[in-house]
Amino acid sequence: MVTRRVAAQILDIPLEMAHRHNIPPRLSDAELSELLDNPPAWLVQSKANRTGKRPIWVQLTCAVCGFSEAARPKKWWPEFTYVCCAHHAPYEIPSLGTGLVRSEYEGVGSRFVGIVDVAVPEA
């Protein structure tokens, strides 16, 4: 049995679309296989409409402890150097390299802080 959320990740569709098309809260492996092998017209159309610019789901993995979760990327997310759980102390986070400036973005996924390290332009 898989949850609707896991099914949405496997089908590579938003969770809202899974709700809208009446995917049940729990599916058997056989039901999920049937959706994959014989996709309904709405799923075929959804995949055909994709431009590939933004992924539907991304895998976030903490650079400190390895905790991982799938999340829907937000428009405001930059390209993170790495992410870490919000409860980690600053000394646990990988150190900043020479000539880099760090920015932190809270509220990434359910518990992460996104870290972006960029090079400082030479004056």
Side-chain angles (χ1 to χ4, degrees):
M1 294 293 277
V2 296
T3 64
R4 181 184 292 143
R5 180 181 172 86
V6 171
Q9 292 170 18
I10 292 169
L11 295 171
D12 200 26
I13 61 172
L15 191 55
E16 299 81 13
M17 184 177 284
H19 281 285
R20 187 174 39 240
H21 291 286
N22 301 318
I23 292 181
R26 296 209 175 272
L27 285 90
S28 69
D29 292 336
E31 290 171 317
L32 182 58
S33 292
E34 179 64 24
L35 279 173
L36 290 167
D37 295 340
N38 300 309
W42 62 265
L43 185 55
V44 172
Q45 185 65 44
S46 171
K47 291 186 183 212
N49 288 343
R50 293 221 187 106
T51 60
K53 292 179 184 172
R54 274 185 56 221
I56 303 293
W57 294 93
V58 294
Q59 196 67 30
L60 302 172
T61 303
C62 178
V64 177
C65 69
F67 175 81
S68 185
E69 75 177 17
R72 294 283 314 277
K74 307 297 182 228
K75 289 181 181 180
W76 60 267
W77 287 5
E79 186 68 33
F80 297 120
T81 306
Y82 47 84
V83 295
C84 63
C85 299
H87 67 269
H88 291 300
Y91 67 85
E92 295 178 286
I93 298 169
S95 60
L96 184 64
T98 305
L100 298 175
V101 174
R102 175 167 287 165
S103 299
E104 296 182 2
Y105 297 83
E106 295 183 8
V108 176
S110 68
R111 64 192 277 179
F112 294 102
V113 173
I115 311 271
V116 178
D117 295 342
V118 295
V120 177
E122 303 248 350

